[in-house]
Amino acid sequence: MRSVTRALLLDYGCVLSLPQPPDAVRALESVAPDVAPADFWRGYWDVRLAYDEGMADDVYLASVLGREPTAAEVGRFVELDTAGWLHLEERMTGVLPGLHERGVPVGLLSNAPFPLARALERQPWAKAFTSLTFSADLGIAKPRPEAYLAAARALGAEPAAVVFVDDRAENVAAADAVGMTGVHHTDVAETLALLDRLLQTGDS
């Protein structure tokens, strides 16, 4: 008898979504024309984990820009940053209804700031999920083990019964460390084929 993995936990960014497209990148850079693009993106990623863990929008943007932002800049940044992450990888989201019909519990575990988390909850595809777990709500982000354990509880599954998919190797390793089966997502077709095997039930 083959052991059965009963639940699936997915990352959002660059798994269910596409990377920010070039026009979204340029739009974000235009929020503060006085800041060089290289400096903007250095700040964007250097402080992103803290933003994902609940840092206020204005505090984050101040860290990105290296100066105090105006209220208009903060509002524009939040709007554009959220929109830039809403471009779906439809080959991945397309399998969600089928998993739901098969009775496979599917959860989301995403490092996402509050504005993006609230936007994702409103997306039509979110209805296919049993649970949605966001780092901003937890106050902790992947790869901290507490994030995975909280997501497993929300999903109603023991870590050993969860397959976790993420595009970042360090996040996959952390999932493995808490007892999940980690899948490092680098190619859609390969990931979907692997999930099909891992989520099968019954005798081998």
Side-chain angles (χ1 to χ4, degrees):
M1 180 76 71
R2 181 173 57 194
S3 61
V4 175
T5 300
R6 298 180 296 104
L8 176 63
L9 188 61
L10 296 168
D11 175 39
Y12 176 73
C14 298
V15 175
L16 294 178
S17 83
L18 297 168
Q20 293 164 303
D23 59 342
V25 169
R26 290 190 295 270
L28 277 169
E29 292 170 353
S30 74
V31 168
D34 60 307
V35 178
D39 294 334
F40 177 91
W41 290 107
R42 185 181 305 110
Y44 183 98
W45 290 115
D46 282 352
V47 197
R48 189 69 185 193
L49 197 63
Y51 190 38
D52 288 341
E53 291 182 334
M55 175 183 281
D57 301 326
D58 58 340
V59 176
Y60 173 62
L61 188 56
S63 298
V64 172
L65 301 182
R67 62 167 173 79
E68 289 299 314
T70 66
E73 287 173 333
V74 174
R76 184 67 173 152
F77 172 82
V78 170
E79 175 188 355
L80 292 172
D81 187 58
T82 300
W85 288 110
L86 296 183
H87 300 270
L88 294 181
E89 173 46 85
E90 294 184 353
R91 292 173 296 172
M92 291 295 296
T93 58
V95 306
L96 297 174
L99 292 171
H100 182 73
E101 291 170 4
R102 286 169 53 188
V104 176
V106 182
L108 184 75
L109 174 59
S110 176
N111 284 358
F114 285 117
L116 180 57
R118 301 294 80 87
L120 295 180
E121 290 171 338
R122 297 190 296 268
Q123 301 305 304
W125 53 260
K127 296 181 177 65
F129 282 84
T130 302
S131 62
L132 301 169
T133 304
F134 298 106
S135 57
D137 298 320
L138 297 174
I140 53 175
K142 298 173 293 184
R144 291 177 59 182
E146 297 92 340
Y148 301 88
L149 298 177
R153 288 193 298 271
L155 191 52
E158 293 297 321
V162 175
V163 173
F164 172 73
V165 181
D166 199 291
D167 64 305
R168 292 181 175 269
E170 64 269 27
N171 292 343
V172 174
D176 287 333
V178 301
M180 296 179 178
T181 299
V183 173
H184 185 199
H185 173 70
T186 58
D187 177 83
V188 172
E190 290 178 4
T191 294
L192 292 179
L194 181 55
L195 290 180
D196 190 57
R197 294 197 297 271
L198 290 172
L199 296 172
Q200 292 297 321
T201 60
D203 295 338
S204 54

